[in-house]
Protein backbone atom coordinates (compact mmCIF):
# COMPACT_ATOMS: atom_id res chain seq x y z
CA UNK A 1 0.00 0.00 0.00
CA UNK A 2 1.28 3.49 -0.81
CA UNK A 3 0.28 6.47 1.31
CA UNK A 4 1.03 9.15 -1.25
CA UNK A 5 -1.41 11.73 0.07
CA UNK A 6 1.44 14.00 1.12
CA UNK A 7 -0.84 17.01 1.54
CA UNK A 8 -3.26 16.02 4.30
CA UNK A 9 -1.44 15.48 7.60
CA UNK A 10 -3.56 12.60 8.93
CA UNK A 11 -3.84 10.71 5.63
CA UNK A 12 -0.75 8.55 6.15
CA UNK A 13 -1.71 7.88 9.76
CA UNK A 14 -5.14 6.67 8.70
CA UNK A 15 -3.72 4.37 6.03
CA UNK A 16 -1.12 3.02 8.45
CA UNK A 17 -3.98 1.94 10.73
CA UNK A 18 -5.72 0.19 7.82
CA UNK A 19 -2.47 -1.43 6.73
CA UNK A 20 -1.98 -2.78 10.24
CA UNK A 21 -5.57 -4.06 10.42
CA UNK A 22 -5.28 -5.85 7.08
CA UNK A 23 -1.72 -7.08 7.51
CA UNK A 24 -0.43 -5.05 4.56
CA UNK A 25 2.93 -3.41 4.21
CA UNK A 26 2.81 0.33 3.68
CA UNK A 27 5.12 2.89 2.13
CA UNK A 28 4.84 6.45 3.44
CA UNK A 29 6.72 9.64 2.62
CA UNK A 30 10.18 9.65 4.19
CA UNK A 31 10.26 13.43 4.52
CA UNK A 32 7.90 16.38 4.70
CA UNK A 33 6.63 17.76 1.39
CA UNK A 34 7.64 14.64 -0.52
CA UNK A 35 6.18 14.33 -3.99
CA UNK A 36 3.33 11.87 -4.34
CA UNK A 37 4.97 10.35 -7.43
CA UNK A 38 8.09 9.60 -5.37
CA UNK A 39 6.08 7.69 -2.76
CA UNK A 40 4.25 5.77 -5.49
CA UNK A 41 7.56 4.87 -7.16
CA UNK A 42 8.98 3.56 -3.89
CA UNK A 43 5.89 1.48 -3.19
CA UNK A 44 5.69 -0.04 -6.65
CA UNK A 45 9.44 -0.81 -6.67
CA UNK A 46 9.12 -2.51 -3.29
CA UNK A 47 6.05 -4.43 -4.42
CA UNK A 48 7.85 -5.62 -7.53
CA UNK A 49 11.03 -6.56 -5.63
CA UNK A 50 9.11 -8.46 -2.94
CA UNK A 51 6.82 -10.26 -5.37
CA UNK A 52 3.53 -8.67 -4.38
CA UNK A 53 0.63 -9.10 -6.77
CA UNK A 54 -1.08 -5.76 -6.15
CA UNK A 55 -0.03 -2.34 -4.87
CA UNK A 56 -2.80 0.03 -3.77
CA UNK A 57 -1.80 3.67 -4.10
CA UNK A 58 -3.76 6.40 -2.38
CA UNK A 59 -3.21 9.91 -3.69
CA UNK A 60 -4.48 13.15 -2.25
CA UNK A 61 -7.80 14.64 -3.18
CA UNK A 62 -7.51 17.29 -5.85
CA UNK A 63 -9.44 20.19 -7.21
CA UNK A 64 -9.87 19.75 -10.93
CA UNK A 65 -9.47 23.51 -11.32
CA UNK A 66 -5.94 23.47 -9.83
CA UNK A 67 -3.49 22.97 -12.71
CA UNK A 68 -0.54 21.98 -10.48
CA UNK A 69 -2.52 19.26 -8.71
CA UNK A 70 -3.69 17.81 -11.99
CA UNK A 71 -0.11 17.85 -13.32
CA UNK A 72 0.99 15.99 -10.19
CA UNK A 73 -1.59 13.32 -10.99
CA UNK A 74 -0.09 12.92 -14.47
CA UNK A 75 3.37 12.62 -12.86
CA UNK A 76 2.05 9.85 -10.58
CA UNK A 77 0.70 7.91 -13.53
CA UNK A 78 4.00 8.27 -15.44
CA UNK A 79 6.08 7.29 -12.40
CA UNK A 80 4.39 3.94 -11.89
CA UNK A 81 4.34 3.26 -15.63
CA UNK A 82 8.13 3.49 -15.71
CA UNK A 83 8.42 0.70 -13.14
CA UNK A 84 5.62 -1.59 -14.33
CA UNK A 85 4.86 -1.18 -18.03
CA UNK A 86 1.16 -0.57 -18.59
CA UNK A 87 0.55 0.51 -15.00
CA UNK A 88 -1.61 1.72 -13.45
CA UNK A 89 -3.93 -1.16 -14.24
CA UNK A 90 -6.99 0.33 -12.63
CA UNK A 91 -7.87 3.81 -11.41
CA UNK A 92 -10.79 4.52 -9.15
CA UNK A 93 -12.07 8.06 -8.84
CA UNK A 94 -13.86 8.66 -5.56
CA UNK A 95 -15.69 11.98 -5.35
CA UNK A 96 -17.29 13.65 -2.38
CA UNK A 97 -21.06 13.58 -2.80
CA UNK A 98 -21.32 17.01 -1.17
CA UNK A 99 -19.73 18.68 -4.20
CA UNK A 100 -23.14 18.77 -5.86
CA UNK A 101 -23.22 19.92 -9.47
CA UNK A 102 -19.44 20.30 -9.46
CA UNK A 103 -19.11 16.49 -9.46
CA UNK A 104 -19.68 15.89 -13.17
CA UNK A 105 -17.21 18.53 -14.44
CA UNK A 106 -14.68 17.23 -11.93
CA UNK A 107 -15.10 13.67 -13.21
CA UNK A 108 -14.79 14.86 -16.82
CA UNK A 109 -11.55 16.75 -16.05
CA UNK A 110 -10.03 13.70 -14.35
CA UNK A 111 -11.09 11.54 -17.27
CA UNK A 112 -9.34 13.87 -19.73
CA UNK A 113 -6.14 13.95 -17.65
CA UNK A 114 -5.97 10.23 -16.86
CA UNK A 115 -7.36 8.83 -20.11
CA UNK A 116 -6.59 11.45 -22.78
CA UNK A 117 -7.20 8.99 -25.63
CA UNK A 118 -10.80 8.25 -24.60
CA UNK A 119 -13.60 10.41 -26.02
CA UNK A 120 -14.50 13.33 -23.78
CA UNK A 121 -18.17 12.49 -24.24
CA UNK A 122 -17.70 9.30 -22.25
CA UNK A 123 -20.43 9.11 -19.61
CA UNK A 124 -19.11 8.94 -16.06
CA UNK A 125 -21.34 7.61 -13.30
CA UNK A 126 -19.52 7.78 -10.00
CA UNK A 127 -20.13 8.31 -6.31
CA UNK A 128 -17.31 10.36 -5.45
CA UNK A 129 -13.10 11.85 -2.08
CA UNK A 130 -9.84 10.53 -3.34
CA UNK A 131 -8.16 8.77 -6.16
CA UNK A 132 -6.99 5.25 -5.61
CA UNK A 133 -4.59 3.77 -8.10
CA UNK A 134 -4.24 0.01 -8.35
CA UNK A 135 -1.11 -1.41 -9.89
CA UNK A 136 -0.92 -5.09 -10.72
CA UNK A 137 2.73 -5.79 -9.98
CA UNK A 138 2.81 -9.49 -10.83
CA UNK A 139 1.34 -9.79 -14.32
CA UNK A 140 1.52 -13.58 -14.31
CA UNK A 141 -1.04 -14.16 -11.58
CA UNK A 142 -4.70 -13.89 -12.57
CA UNK A 143 -7.45 -13.10 -10.08
Amino acid sequence: MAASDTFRAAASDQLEIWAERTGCEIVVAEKDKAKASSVLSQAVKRGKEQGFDVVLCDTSGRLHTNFNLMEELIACKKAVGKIVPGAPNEILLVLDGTTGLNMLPQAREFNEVIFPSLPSTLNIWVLIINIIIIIIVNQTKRF
Side-chain angles (χ1 to χ4, degrees):
M1 188 181 299
S4 60
D5 182 344
T6 55
F7 181 73
R8 193 168 57 87
S12 292
D13 296 338
Q14 290 172 335
L15 281 179
E16 285 183 77
I17 291 168
W18 280 107
E20 184 179 323
R21 287 178 182 170
T22 60
C24 292
E25 289 192 30
I26 188 165
V27 174
V28 297
E30 295 176 1
K31 57 185 178 181
D32 288 342
K33 301 196 182 197
K35 293 199 176 274
S37 57
S38 172
V39 177
L40 292 182
S41 291
Q42 288 176 318
V44 174
K45 281 178 189 172
R46 184 188 295 178
K48 191 172 181 179
E49 289 167 1
Q50 295 181 4
F52 294 135
D53 296 321
V54 176
V55 177
L56 294 175
C57 303
D58 176 44
T59 69
S60 60
R62 331 179 161 263
L63 292 171
H64 64 288
T65 55
N66 186 313
F67 179 79
N68 291 337
L69 291 177
M70 297 301 279
E71 288 295 308
E72 185 180 85
L73 189 58
I74 294 168
C76 289
K77 186 177 175 188
K78 287 179 181 177
V80 299
K82 288 178 183 176
I83 300 162
V84 176
N89 303 85
E90 190 166 336
I91 299 173
L92 306 174
L93 174 61
V94 184
L95 298 171
D96 185 348
T98 62
T99 58
L101 295 176
N102 194 31
M103 195 181 317
L104 192 54
Q106 187 174 1
R108 281 191 185 119
E109 289 287 329
F110 281 109
N111 185 56
E112 289 175 14
V113 167
I114 299 297
F115 306 107
S117 60
L118 291 179
S120 60
T121 57
L122 185 68
N123 288 328
I124 302 169
W125 297 95
V126 281
L127 258 186
I128 302 187
I129 269 193
N130 252 334
I131 298 174
I132 300 170
I133 301 174
I134 300 173
I135 293 106
I136 308 297
V137 178
N138 184 349
Q139 298 289 335
T140 59
K141 186 169 184 177
R142 299 287 175 218
F143 298 95

